[in-house]
Amino acid sequence: MPGLEDLYREIILDHYRNPRNRGELESPPALRVEGFNPLCGDEIVVYLELDGEGRIAEIRIGGQGCSISQSSASMMSAAVKGRTIAEVGDLTRAFKAMMSIHESSLGGEAAEPAEVPDVKLGDLEALRGVVKFPVRIKCATLAWNTLAQALDDAAS
Amino acid sequence: MAVTSPLDAAAIRADFPLLADSERPLVYLDSAATSQKPAVVLDAMDTYYRTINANVHRGVYRIAEQATNELEGAREKVRRFINAASCAEVIFTRNATESLNLLVQSWGRTNLRPGDAVVLSHMEHHANIVPWHMLAAERGIELRWIPLTEDDRLDLTDLDTLLDGAKVLSVTAMSNVLGTITPVRTLTDAARAAGAISIIDGCQSVPHSTTDVQALGADFVAFSGHKMCGPTGVGVLWGRRELLEAMPPFIGGGEMIREVRLDGFTCNELPWKFEAGTPAIAEIIGLGAAVDYLEGIGMDAIRAHERMLTDHALRTLEARFGTDIVIHGPADPDQRGGVFSFAFRDLHPHDISQILDERGVCVRAGHHCAKPLMRLMGVGATARASVYLYNTTEDIDALADALEAAGAFFAF
Ligand SMILES: Cc1ncc(COP(=O)(O)O)c(C=O)c1O
């Protein structure tokens, strides 16, 4: 049986205690997108500012939720800041691939992406243990789904 | 002041295979979601499949007749358990949700016109909200809401105004989030005086205390078998005969008809008029066994036992955690059942239940299918512990120990 230490890795607890990029950006000009996990009431607000070259110049995270959803959002904000939209897309696909087997078997997201981009997940790897706790996967992916939505909005 | 229980919960646990398994000791505190099942219920279902498995009604051979007798025998047990006047008034459904949908679709669509008002409360389960929203979208009925008091009871100050001109009052007898026991008789009397029918969601009350549907003064009562030691897949709708007689069928098919021709059909009599298709035979027989089991222990004794556990839980959690814990619902154990939603420090309910699970303590985390209530409480989710006849004061103490561990784990 997976133990708590698989889930609550030290780095995850660190992001939960000291969330990075927490706060708000004035919107507009910033994009503001909300994401909800209807199962547990977790709520994430992503604020985004893109620069002229399509990089994420600023990101802030608002909302409330469990340690996994909050730390995942914090880790995501640190990972995507300064990256281009294309890079963020690859990172998102790689992260969701790490989480996706169980998510799709739970009837959640659609099938896995056809090919997983070869990118380093770095600290985000710490969330790998979440797949051993299937009901928590949606907590970990909430921020990423919300970010993807924000980038979709930005593109349109 | 020690409050005592008339039950020997430790002995009762031995009746429940999942709880008696000493390999994996379980502190099961989620009976408001579903109860554990005693061996007698599992055996009754198993015996049906192994010895008399046949479809019911219309079979002339021996096992078909036996299966029919068992099924109708279970109906009689349920009738007696809730003191219904007749078996014609006891309709088997899939669960309380289906019972409530049946009412909205059959009684509601027949009797409600645009602008008609239905009175609900802020502490309803989605099962007693969404079907009405669905009808409102179709029919333009008005939904009115009984508010709550500061101490999580129904605020009846404006009840007469809310009921003025209303056609239906539909409320829970006990909140599955707050534990609040509502004043059912006061509510049904007020509804009748206002010319409204009354529907009681008995999901959390029927499993935990004596139910006399005639004394409740209600027109309909809905409840689920799986929360009262019975299997999943079977629920009950009780209704007053005159009203049921006047209602059109809900689902059409076999079993619910008397005559079918190319140009139409006539309905079977009650209760089968509302039981289209092959029923959940094994589950209904299992529910009959559950009723026997509960009656053998005694519903008043179960209520007294849970009152003792409630008292113990409120005192223990407050003594150990003081202002670190906020327990929702009325403070007086006489006004509430054994369901405790709580907030603990600033821990998220998900994290609480995850850490509790590590210690074999099962509590629920989430919105408990009562989102309007969650919004009113200003929270996205709560952790919820709930007790039943097999729980002991040790279970409550294990919960407190596990909470302490959770607090230590997330202390920073
Ligand atoms: C008060 C209340 N009403 C209705 C329901 C719905 O019961 P079921 O899911 O068995 O239909 C529940 C169960 O959670 C409940 O607690």
Side-chain angles (χ1 to χ4, degrees):
Chain A
M1 203 180 90
L4 283 181
E5 62 287 353
D6 290 313
L7 184 65
Y8 297 117
R9 304 276 300 277
E10 193 46 49
I11 189 158
I12 294 176
L13 292 175
D14 176 56
H15 276 265
Y16 181 47
R17 280 170 209 149
N18 310 300
R20 323 293 199 262
N21 302 304
R22 179 99 197 147
E24 300 180 7
L25 294 173
E26 203 186 335
S27 164
L31 278 164
R32 179 184 185 282
V33 175
E34 291 176 15
F36 292 97
N37 181 341
L39 286 177
C40 60
D42 283 2
E43 164 194 21
I44 293 273
V45 191
V46 172
Y47 299 86
L48 267 192
E49 254 172 39
L50 300 175
D51 66 14
E53 285 133 56
R55 282 177 196 279
I56 293 183
E58 272 302 346
I59 181 165
R60 292 282 188 282
I61 304 289
Q64 43 105 16
C66 69
S67 59
I68 300 301
S69 70
Q70 294 297 294
S71 62
S72 177
S74 169
M75 292 163 87
M76 175 189 83
S77 72
V80 302
K81 198 165 164 176
R83 303 250 198 155
T84 65
I85 290 179
E87 287 169 340
V88 172
D90 282 349
L91 204 53
T92 304
R93 278 191 293 282
F95 181 78
K96 295 201 56 173
M98 182 169 86
M99 296 286 154
S100 72
I101 306 136
H102 292 262
E103 195 170 34
S104 54
S105 72
L106 285 175
E109 303 303 282
E112 282 173 67
E115 87 194 37
V116 180
D118 182 23
V119 292
K120 293 254 180 310
L121 285 166
D123 283 359
L124 299 171
E125 284 279 353
L127 286 160
R128 186 180 290 282
V130 175
V131 296
K132 296 181 191 160
F133 299 82
V135 289
R136 305 300 294 272
I137 292 175
K138 287 205 182 298
C139 308
T141 53
L142 176 62
W144 290 89
N145 289 334
T146 310
L147 176 66
Q149 164 94 54
L151 291 176
D152 276 357
D153 288 1
S156 62
Chain B
M1 176 191 67
V3 186
T4 55
S5 161
L7 293 190
D8 181 355
I12 285 173
R13 286 177 85 85
D15 297 336
F16 290 77
L18 201 146
L19 298 174
D21 179 359
S22 55
E23 292 278 294
R24 288 189 63 236
L26 209 58
V27 178
Y28 187 73
L29 294 171
D30 196 19
S31 295
T34 198
S35 72
Q36 294 300 337
K37 322 301 175 199
V40 285
V41 168
L42 308 180
D43 291 346
M45 294 170 68
D46 195 58
T47 302
Y48 160 72
Y49 280 126
R50 286 178 191 279
T51 64
I52 56 167
N53 176 55
N55 210 331
V56 288
H57 305 303
R58 298 178 309 279
V60 288
Y61 50 93
R62 189 180 51 83
I63 58 171
E65 189 184 316
Q66 283 176 325
T68 306
N69 289 343
E70 288 286 320
L71 180 135
E72 293 304 329
R75 194 187 311 273
E76 167 58 19
K77 290 174 187 179
V78 172
R79 185 206 64 75
R80 203 183 53 224
F81 186 67
I82 60 173
N83 194 33
S86 151
C87 277
E89 298 183 333
V90 177
I91 294 157
F92 288 122
T93 60
R94 254 180 345 121
N95 48 38
T97 302
E98 188 174 283
S99 301
L100 291 164
N101 276 273
L102 187 164
L103 284 175
V104 174
Q105 292 301 318
S106 172
W107 192 93
R109 293 177 88 192
T110 307
N111 294 289
L112 297 177
R113 301 278 162 266
D116 282 348
V118 173
V119 179
L120 308 172
S121 90
H122 275 275
M123 58 168 84
E124 297 312 311
H125 186 281
H126 293 166
N128 191 28
I129 298 178
V130 180
W132 298 109
H133 275 318
M134 288 163 64
L135 189 64
E138 177 190 313
R139 273 293 150 85
I141 57 169
E142 178 198 352
L143 303 186
R144 298 179 185 166
W145 303 88
I146 303 174
L148 304 193
T149 61
E150 283 289 304
D151 59 344
D152 294 334
R153 290 175 303 119
L154 292 183
D155 181 349
L156 302 185
T157 319
D158 296 324
L159 182 62
D160 290 338
T161 317
L162 285 167
L163 280 171
D164 187 26
K167 292 277 169 58
V168 181
L169 169 77
S170 187
V171 285
T172 185
M174 180 180 137
S175 164
N176 65 314
V177 177
L178 304 167
T180 310
I181 294 172
T182 63
V184 171
R185 186 72 215 208
T186 306
L187 291 161
T188 58
D189 283 347
R192 189 170 321 95
I197 63 151
S198 52
I199 300 170
I200 297 302
D201 176 352
C203 257
Q204 297 294 343
S205 64
V206 173
H208 301 280
S209 53
T210 300
T211 301
D212 178 342
V213 291
Q214 301 187 60
L216 287 179
D219 294 298
F220 298 101
V221 177
F223 55 99
S224 284
H226 68 94
K227 295 182 200 280
M228 50 188 283
C229 296
T232 53
V234 56
V236 176
L237 172 65
W238 169 82
R240 284 203 301 114
R241 190 177 194 140
E242 317 82 87
L243 293 173
L244 292 170
E245 296 277 13
M247 284 158 56
F250 170 45
I251 292 177
E255 210 78 65
M256 51 73 71
I257 44 83
R258 172 173 297 143
E259 183 60 277
V260 180
R261 297 174 197 282
L262 294 183
D263 61 355
F265 73 98
T266 52
C267 282
N268 199 344
E269 56 196 48
L270 291 173
W272 305 288
K273 171 173 133 183
F274 291 105
E275 295 179 355
T278 299
I281 306 168
E283 287 76 7
I284 291 170
I285 292 170
L287 178 58
V291 163
D292 281 344
Y293 179 77
L294 291 174
E295 280 186 331
I297 287 167
M299 294 311 292
D300 290 343
I302 292 173
R303 168 66 188 146
H305 176 69
E306 293 181 17
R307 193 194 170 291
M308 177 280 291
L309 288 176
T310 302
D311 189 69
H312 180 77
L314 296 176
R315 284 162 188 271
T316 304
L317 295 173
E318 232 138 68
R320 284 185 61 173
F321 303 113
T323 54
D324 277 350
I325 195 162
V326 176
I327 303 173
H328 301 289
D332 176 1
D334 284 331
Q335 302 219 18
R336 64 178 299 151
V339 173
F340 319 99
S341 278
F342 58 90
F344 182 60
R345 304 210 183 132
D346 57 354
L347 297 196
H348 191 278
H350 258 173
D351 293 315
I352 294 177
S353 65
Q354 192 89 58
I355 301 220
L356 265 49
D357 176 53
E358 185 81 354
R359 296 169 152 247
V361 177
C362 309
V363 302
R364 192 145 289 254
H367 53 61
H368 318 296
C369 295
K371 285 206 149 193
L373 176 59
M374 293 283 129
R375 202 160 293 127
L376 192 72
M377 292 162 74
V379 296
T382 70
R384 181 188 75 183
S386 53
V387 300
Y388 206 5
L389 72 167
Y390 36 66
N391 289 114
T392 60
T393 52
E394 286 79 15
D395 289 340
I396 303 293
D397 298 341
L399 168 68
D401 290 346
L403 276 177
E404 193 158 320
F409 189 87
F410 282 105
F412 27 84

